[in-house]
Amino acid sequence: MKSSTAIFYMIFSVIAFSLMNAVVKYLGAFDAYQIVFFRSIGTLLFTIPLIIKAKIPILGNNKKLLFLRGLFGVISLTCFFMSLNYLSLGTAVSLRYTSPIFGAIFALFFLKEKIKSVQWVLFLIAFIGVLVIKGFGADVNSLGVIFAILSAIFLGLIFIVIRKLGDSENPLVIINYFMILAFSFGGIMSIKYWKTPNLTEWLLLLSLGFFGYVGQLYMTKSLQSGETNVVVPLKYLEVIFMIVIGAFWFDEIYNLWTLLGVCLIMFGLLYNIYLKRKRS
């Protein structure tokens, strides 16, 4: 029963993140900075009251690492939203999911963690998937690929910072730092590109924070409720959801080469997760 609950939580989280990405794609007329700004507002409406209610020190303990986590998060999120202006949903999400590769490489240098030979092979397979998408995918935009990979690189750095933080900080404080920086950065940068939303667009923009918060909340609940090796691979269902949403809602076309590249990325990363969990 506990395992099935954890699986339900992770699938619910994936659906929430998928809907957030779909809304971002739909709001393509808005600049990425403005979307980052509204994404932060929707989440801050949840985190700040919860922090105050729980009487948690809002500034946290390790302010430097919390700031770095927030900064890297803002850069990663902005680059990902920018990539959606150039790439199909499934392709952008697949490329962003190469972040574990960069996380492992950064861990090698900053945390002195070892990478097994088979892991390097699996990372190579995933990277070949990226090259297949770029080289043979249907009209894959180079700038979009760069933004998606940059997003993955900074997401990899986030993994390192969070490992450094450990359990010394409340998750709400970590999220709050991220969202406050996103609010500040997105607000300032969007002034030049500001587009006044209509009522429907207001609701959609504010829903980004809601979907993002729900996705983060239930992903955490899932990891707390079930075995990691069972629930973590389910996170990659987001790629499949994005491909389906892109095809049916946005009339996106995925040729066989693009789908092959996506499969190579997913195989390399998922099998790496399997091996790591098997060893532990």
Side-chain angles (χ1 to χ4, degrees), residues 97 100 119 122-123 227-236 265-280:
Y97 271 149
Q119 287 181 277
L122 293 170
F123 289 159
E227 296 181 13
T228 305
N229 62 331
V230 174
V231 296
V232 166
L234 293 173
K235 181 76 176 116
Y236 289 86
I265 292 173
M266 292 302 100
F267 172 78
L269 298 179
L270 285 172
Y271 198 67
N272 179 57
I273 291 174
Y274 169 75
L275 290 178
K276 285 167 63 178
R277 302 306 170 197
K278 189 176 179 181
R279 286 201 303 271
S280 61

Side-chain angles (χ1 to χ4, degrees), residues 242-256:
M242 288 291 86
I243 290 174
V244 173
I245 290 173
F248 285 95
W249 288 4
F250 298 98
D251 296 322
E252 294 176 347
I253 298 174
Y254 298 87
N255 67 11
L256 292 177

Side-chain angles (χ1 to χ4, degrees), residues 30-250:
F30 290 85
D31 188 83
Y33 299 124
Q34 192 171 354
I35 291 177
V36 168
F37 175 69
F38 278 101
R39 162 74 171 87
S40 65
I41 292 176
T43 300
L44 287 171
L45 290 174
F46 290 96
T47 57
I48 291 179
L50 288 171
I51 288 174
I52 294 174
K53 182 180 179 181
K55 297 181 180 179
I56 301 169
I58 197 166
L59 294 179
N61 301 310
N62 197 324
K63 298 174 182 60
K64 289 183 180 179
L65 285 180
L66 285 168
F67 178 82
L68 278 179
R69 188 269 176 260
L71 178 63
F72 293 156
V74 170
I75 296 172
S76 178
L77 188 66
T78 304
C79 288
F80 177 62
F81 286 168
M82 285 180 170
S83 74
L84 291 176
N85 291 326
Y86 302 96
L87 301 174
S88 60
L89 284 166
T91 303
V93 172
S94 298
L95 293 175
R96 196 186 191 215
Y97 271 149
T98 58
S99 56
I101 299 176
F102 300 107
I105 293 172
F106 292 139
L108 176 66
F109 290 101
F110 297 114
L111 302 178
K112 307 303 179 184
E113 293 183 0
K114 294 181 179 180
I115 301 177
K116 303 273 187 184
S117 299
V118 66
Q119 287 181 277
W120 283 115
V121 173
L122 293 170
F123 289 159
L124 178 61
I125 290 173
F127 187 69
I128 289 173
V130 174
L131 297 180
V132 169
I133 290 175
K134 180 61 195 83
F136 301 101
D139 300 321
V140 175
N141 184 283
S142 297
L143 188 58
V145 172
I146 291 172
F147 279 134
I149 295 297
L150 280 174
S151 177
I153 290 172
F154 280 95
L155 193 54
L157 285 170
I158 289 171
F159 297 155
I160 304 304
V161 175
I162 290 178
R163 285 289 303 278
K164 285 281 190 181
L165 284 170
D167 57 2
S168 64
E169 302 290 348
N170 188 290
L172 283 173
V173 174
I174 297 174
I175 295 173
N176 204 55
Y177 259 82
F178 174 23
M179 289 296 103
I180 288 175
L181 284 174
F183 176 83
S184 305
F185 174 78
I188 293 171
M189 295 299 293
S190 64
I191 293 174
K192 182 179 178 181
Y193 308 97
W194 186 266
K195 178 180 181 295
T196 303
N198 59 35
L199 179 58
T200 302
E201 290 168 341
W202 270 106
L203 293 174
L204 288 173
L205 284 164
L206 290 174
S207 76
L208 295 174
F210 171 75
F211 288 135
Y213 176 77
V214 170
Q216 189 71 46
L217 175 65
Y218 279 92
M219 183 176 68
T220 303
K221 282 178 173 287
S222 174
L223 293 170
Q224 292 173 334
S225 303
E227 296 181 13
T228 305
N229 62 331
V230 174
V231 296
V232 166
L234 293 173
K235 181 76 176 116
Y236 289 86
L237 284 173
E238 187 177 342
V239 175
I240 297 174
F241 286 175
M242 288 291 86
I243 290 174
V244 173
I245 290 173
F248 285 95
W249 288 4
F250 298 98

